Amino acid sequence: MARADAASLITLADRIAREGPCAQAQDIQALSARRIALVNAHRVPAALAESLSSGVNLLIEQTPPCLPDVPVAQPPRPPTTTVVVPSGEEDQQGQHDNGKHHRKHHDEGGD
């Protein structure tokens, strides 16, 4: 087998070992295509062709699934509550309370 052919297979196989699942799946297919091209072109010695094909086929069987990235789930935010007080109502409550308070003292003093 030519040194350049072997080097390209080795380089691709080494890269597969260090990649993430999606890149591995892509490069395993590239390795398989390269192996088929070399074998069909009779550039792989017969004594090596069977073990090369078996090794690549095992990689194909173990190809990891390429799943899309899933964002990390964030806990739901508690709902925000906004209290809206119509204008003037707050002033009326304050006057009403003051009036009760005032009458109470007035009533106590009248006995």
Side-chain angles (χ1 to χ4, degrees), residues 3 35 42 45-46 58 60-61 82 84 93 97:
R3 178 174 279 202
R35 176 257 337 235
H42 303 287
L58 284 173
I60 291 169
E61 290 175 16
T82 304
V84 178
Q93 286 178 346
D97 290 341

Side-chain angles (χ1 to χ4, degrees), residues 99-111:
K100 282 183 184 177
H101 186 68
H102 182 60
R103 274 187 243 126
K104 189 174 181 180
H105 289 293
H106 180 58
D107 289 342
E108 288 176 7
D111 284 338

Side-chain angles (χ1 to χ4, degrees), residues 17-83:
R18 296 185 306 268
E19 295 177 316
C22 291
Q24 284 179 335
Q26 183 178 4
D27 282 344
I28 288 171
Q29 290 303 313
L31 182 66
S32 176
R34 180 79 175 134
R35 176 257 337 235
I36 290 169
L38 290 173
V39 170
N40 288 343
H42 303 287
R43 293 174 71 172
V44 178
L48 182 59
E50 181 62 33
S51 61
L52 174 63
S53 292
S54 294
V56 172
N57 288 338
L58 284 173
L59 274 176
I60 291 169
E61 290 175 16
Q62 297 176 10
T63 300
C66 178
L67 303 174
D69 290 336
V70 178
V72 176
Q74 298 295 324
R77 297 177 120 194
T80 56
T81 306
T82 304
V83 178

